[in-house]
Amino acid sequence: MPTRDDPDGGPDLIDLTDESPEAVLALFEERGWGDGLPLVAPTEARVSEMLARRDPDEEVAVLPPRFGRATCQALAVNAVLAGCAPAVFPVVTTAIRALAGDEVNLQGVQATTHPVAPLVIVHGEAVSTLGFNAGLGTFGPGVRANATVGRAVRLALLHVGGAYPGRGDQSTQGQPAKYTYCIAENSPESPWEAYHRWCGVDAPSAVTIHCGAGPHNFHDMESESASRILEKGASAFTSLGSNNACISEGECFVVLCPEHAATIARAGWSRRDVQSFLFERARLPVAVFRRAFEQRRWRPWMQEIRDVEQRIPMTDHPDNYRVLVAGGAGKHSCVIPSWGVTKSRTLPLDV
Amino acid sequence: MSIRIFCPEGALGVQPMRLSARPDLLAGRRIGLLDNRKPNAGVLLARVAQRLAQRTGASVSLALQKSNAAVRCETDLLDKLGAEADVVLTGSGD
């Protein structure tokens, strides 16, 4: 049977003699589709309900390396497969729209040997109205909106974008975040302005995508000092194994738990202060970087430093630290290093 | 009970490009190199091109480098390769 990669195209609709989940999964396995987990059958009725009033032919993006057209219909099919409720569909389309920005370099993200996965972050009113978990266990399982939106984005990247392992996605080891990777900002418990408004997005709700590694936890159960907490974040980020070590323009998302954020804010620190502190503290001597890497995508001023004992930053500008609050009770925060040659993007939620 | 479901892939936004037909003989052909900036890609490609040229009577006409391994090849480099080479060697993994 022809597939949609054939120049002449293939069928939009496939007949299945059996509507059981096993039959759908067997078809997907046979075609080399899916993420290996059971799927919801994308019937005409379910896809129509997912689309609601959206134009099925609206092209949201063209996704490399397959260069498939991510129309609203194609994305609705993948949202159904992932188990999304129709209400969260605008989050899926916004995330895919964001991924299509030139600065994201999606072709590189999709095809690289690095285990990068797009993290979807939901901000604003949509967090509560659509049922996202911004609190305890925000990165983890248990809440449909987080789990299915991240999965729908991944399924679209697989099916429409063609990032099948070994056939488009060359990630050496992959990572669990390639199944689903979606959190929400905990604005009610954040001492600072909502992240999307700080980025200049004046909208009630928004979506950020960051193409990075998995989250690297740092804990501090005892400190009452902002610097003592953030020293641990700086330490977690100062790793020669991260792409940020050899690509200076990469960002680092710093996801603070509410308790750490409250302690830091009580000391009078702004989000900008957190960025500046991390920029100053997450450093290694030039000699260490040069011993570790012959090929460095660094700014010219970094390449020219002669004093090999000089400590230089893990990323070349304080703005590359992207700070927000998510999670619940406890004293665990995390840093999420970048793939490197990519920038995060924040867009207002599609309406 | 039977059901109908949608294909998850959707249509292509850009028709896939196809490689040119391989020449039957390399004698007299111009070999171009495109270093993708992966470690030692340039060394490997140069050596392969040199051996090919020696064995077949082809010549190495130009060697270019992408600006970075993680980004697409610049269009002007592709145009130059198209104009100045008959066969292009490229690619090397990590």
Side-chain angles (χ1 to χ4, degrees):
Chain A
M1 178 175 281
T3 72
R4 298 293 295 184
D5 278 341
D6 292 330
D8 296 333
D12 275 334
L13 287 160
I14 302 163
D15 288 316
L16 262 183
T17 53
D18 177 354
E19 66 175 341
S20 69
E22 290 84 356
V24 177
L25 191 55
L27 171 78
F28 273 62
E29 276 191 286
E30 178 193 315
R31 300 289 179 94
W33 294 337
D35 58 5
L37 297 170
L39 299 145
V40 177
T43 59
E44 291 172 273
R46 287 185 179 127
V47 171
S48 175
E49 189 187 2
M50 187 66 67
L51 280 165
R53 291 188 300 278
R54 301 285 291 270
D55 174 3
D57 295 326
E58 178 195 340
E59 185 175 283
V60 176
V62 174
L63 301 179
R66 176 172 169 264
F67 297 101
R69 289 182 69 224
T71 58
C72 281
Q73 175 162 305
L75 295 178
V77 170
N78 284 282
V80 170
L81 285 165
C84 289
V88 302
F89 186 52
V91 181
V92 176
T93 59
T94 309
I96 294 293
R97 194 185 306 283
L99 283 167
D102 287 344
E103 67 269 44
V104 177
N105 186 13
L106 185 62
Q107 183 162 359
V109 167
Q110 291 267 75
T112 179
T113 51
H114 186 273
V116 53
L119 168 65
V120 178
I121 309 171
V122 185
H123 312 279
E125 293 173 2
V127 175
S128 57
T129 58
L130 301 181
F132 284 89
N133 175 22
L136 202 73
T138 184
F139 282 96
V143 173
R144 182 180 178 185
N146 298 46
T148 59
V149 164
R151 189 185 186 204
V153 168
R154 170 52 53 189
L155 290 177
L157 293 176
L158 285 166
H159 296 139
V160 184
Y164 299 106
R167 290 184 282 143
D169 176 355
Q170 300 301 328
S171 180
T172 305
Q173 294 187 313
Q175 68 153 316
K178 281 180 181 273
Y179 284 96
T180 186
Y181 203 16
C182 175
I183 66 169
E185 181 181 14
N186 190 344
S187 274
E189 294 195 79
S190 172
W192 303 303
E193 180 184 27
Y195 177 87
H196 66 289
R197 294 196 183 276
W198 179 73
C199 293
V201 174
D202 183 18
S205 302
V207 175
T208 294
I209 53 94
H210 165 59
C211 296
H216 186 147
N217 173 258
F218 65 92
H219 85 272
D220 184 319
M221 307 285 187
E222 59 194 66
S223 297
E224 289 299 320
S225 126
S227 59
R228 206 160 166 228
I229 293 169
L230 290 172
E231 283 283 5
K232 296 177 176 71
S235 166
F237 183 53
T238 311
S239 162
L240 288 175
S242 151
N243 268 19
N244 288 83
C246 54
I247 302 172
S248 68
E249 76 217 50
E251 295 173 317
C252 174
F253 268 66
V254 182
V255 183
L256 295 170
C257 65
E259 293 180 25
H260 279 164
T263 302
I264 292 164
R266 265 199 307 276
W269 290 38
S270 65
R271 184 182 255 130
R272 185 70 66 196
D273 294 328
V274 174
Q275 292 179 300
S276 298
F277 181 87
L278 292 170
F279 183 70
E280 293 301 327
R281 302 303 296 181
R283 292 183 176 227
L284 287 171
V286 168
V288 172
F289 283 116
R290 288 190 179 153
R291 270 203 304 273
F293 299 101
E294 289 175 17
Q295 298 190 4
R296 300 176 300 271
R297 186 180 163 99
W298 278 359
R299 301 289 181 206
W301 67 266
M302 297 169 81
Q303 299 280 21
E304 293 302 314
I305 294 172
R306 300 204 176 154
D307 175 5
V308 296
E309 295 309 314
Q310 185 174 333
R311 296 173 68 81
I312 60 167
M314 285 293 293
T315 184
D316 61 25
H317 197 282
D319 274 346
N320 287 337
Y321 289 99
R322 314 299 295 177
V323 180
L324 67 139
V325 174
K331 294 181 185 294
H332 291 269
S333 296
C334 68
V335 293
I336 305 172
S338 175
W339 169 56
V341 192
T342 181
K343 289 288 184 189
S344 62
R345 201 159 177 234
T346 301
L347 296 181
L349 184 68
D350 284 356
V351 290
Chain B
M1 194 177 81
S2 67
I3 57 170
R4 301 188 85 193
I5 63 170
F6 278 101
C7 166
E9 294 187 312
L12 294 177
V14 178
Q15 288 300 319
M17 297 182 76
R18 299 188 184 282
L19 292 173
S20 302
R22 291 186 175 194
D24 293 330
L25 292 171
L26 286 178
R29 303 280 185 175
R30 302 165 300 171
I31 300 174
L33 308 182
L34 178 61
D35 177 352
N36 64 359
R37 294 253 184 180
K38 286 290 184 183
N40 295 316
V43 176
L44 177 67
L45 292 172
R47 183 68 179 143
V48 170
Q50 183 191 32
R51 295 287 298 272
L52 267 180
Q54 282 172 350
R55 285 166 46 188
T56 63
S59 61
V60 179
S61 57
L62 79 166
L64 303 176
Q65 277 190 323
K66 284 171 63 178
S67 64
N68 184 275
V71 299
R72 292 182 199 179
C73 183
E74 294 79 359
T75 306
D76 60 326
L77 297 189
L78 294 176
D79 290 343
K80 196 168 172 60
L81 285 165
E84 299 180 26
D86 303 306
V87 174
V88 175
L89 302 181
T90 188
S92 161
D94 285 317

